[in-house]
Amino acid sequence: MNTRYLVKRALYALATIYVAVSLTFFLIRLLPGGPKTYIKNKLMKSQTSMSVEEINNLAAAYTNVYPDQPLHMQYLSYMTSAVQGDFGTSVWFGEPVSQVIWRAMPWTLFLSTTTLFLGLVIGIVVGGLMAYNEGGRFDIGMTTYTLISGSIPYYMLAILLIYVFGFMWGVFPTSGAYASGVEPGFNLPFMMSVAYHATLPITSMVLVAFGGTALGLRSNAISELGADYIRAARIRALPQHRIALRYVARNAILPMYTGIMMGIASVFGGSIILEQIFGYQGVGYIMFKATMSRDYPLMMGSFILVTVATVVGIFIADVTYGMVDPRIEAGGEGRESY
């Protein structure tokens, strides 16, 4: 690993996070009313006996900034607290932002990573079969399906699944992460309830997501099947499964590595609409609630989480690509990811 290149990419990643968070801080304060005005008005309505000074102090406790300070002092105050893990208090939930996000993270991680894993596995298998049956009925049929499914927003399919399997047939629940009467914990009833409630959200995402992977792998695999080293392997009478798995599949997946890592990076920010449709209380759900209720501390905390996860995912993809594909030398030209 080229240490100089690694340090350079790490500094780029930190600079990207810093600029993104700073822009968000100032843009949120340009919103009509601004967070301090909104929070102060809310406190004045609910705490009529409090003085202006007490309300200002309480607003400062919520947002980590003092409303009467200049904007640059508010910025320094917030960034100092954020670096220490203090993102303020959520106006909607009445709890520390870090605590609200920490409680929501497992649900989003479960939903997004399961969807990503299933989408990749199904996409790779289907794409490989399409390449080996190029021009056949299966190839034509799946190509048509992936083109159609790729043009349908996943939330439209989610609404259709809820209507058919939830309201019409009553096969699956329409909202929530687990049944109300189940005791949360590491026990079989709870895990089965979680899997049962996650069936429709995961299905709606997988049915749309795997098409892009399948088409990408089909194209790469067809290109590899025509390569000279594959002909040489066949002339040597190597087993077909060895050629398919160790030669074709391995080299066909490599160009998709960066896209896979970026998919992992987007696990927190890619399910906002889906979690809202299914009432799934993950990070996307609380981001939507924070936006609709003008809960600025929670908006900032959620955005910082999404930004850090995205940049870290791209950074890992960037520095590990050379390990996955030895043909790419770390630090070489044309490897700028962000």
Side-chain angles (χ1 to χ4, degrees), residues 203-266:
T203 301
S204 63
M205 288 283 283
V206 169
L207 288 178
V208 173
F210 87 86
T213 304
L215 283 180
L217 191 100
R218 173 189 180 276
S219 175
N220 296 338
I222 289 175
S223 176
E224 294 297 331
L225 285 170
D228 292 338
Y229 73 94
I230 296 296
R231 297 193 189 95
R234 286 170 174 164
I235 291 172
R236 292 170 58 197
L238 292 180
Q240 188 60 35
H241 70 275
R242 182 177 177 182
I243 296 175
L245 297 177
R246 297 189 60 179
Y247 291 7
V248 178
R250 184 177 178 182
N251 289 306
I253 293 173
L254 280 177
M256 304 167 63
Y257 178 72
T258 301
I260 294 172
M261 293 304 296
M262 290 184 70
I264 295 174
S266 64

Side-chain angles (χ1 to χ4, degrees), residues 18-36 71 74-75 78-79 294 296 299-300 303 307:
Y18 172 75
V19 171
V21 173
S22 299
L23 282 175
T24 305
F25 178 88
F26 289 110
L27 287 174
I28 284 181
R29 272 145 185 82
L30 292 176
L31 291 174
K36 67 178 183 182
L71 187 59
Q74 295 181 26
Y75 170 72
Y78 182 83
M79 294 298 283
R294 302 178 72 184
Y296 297 102
M299 285 171 62
M300 277 296 299
F303 182 80
T307 302

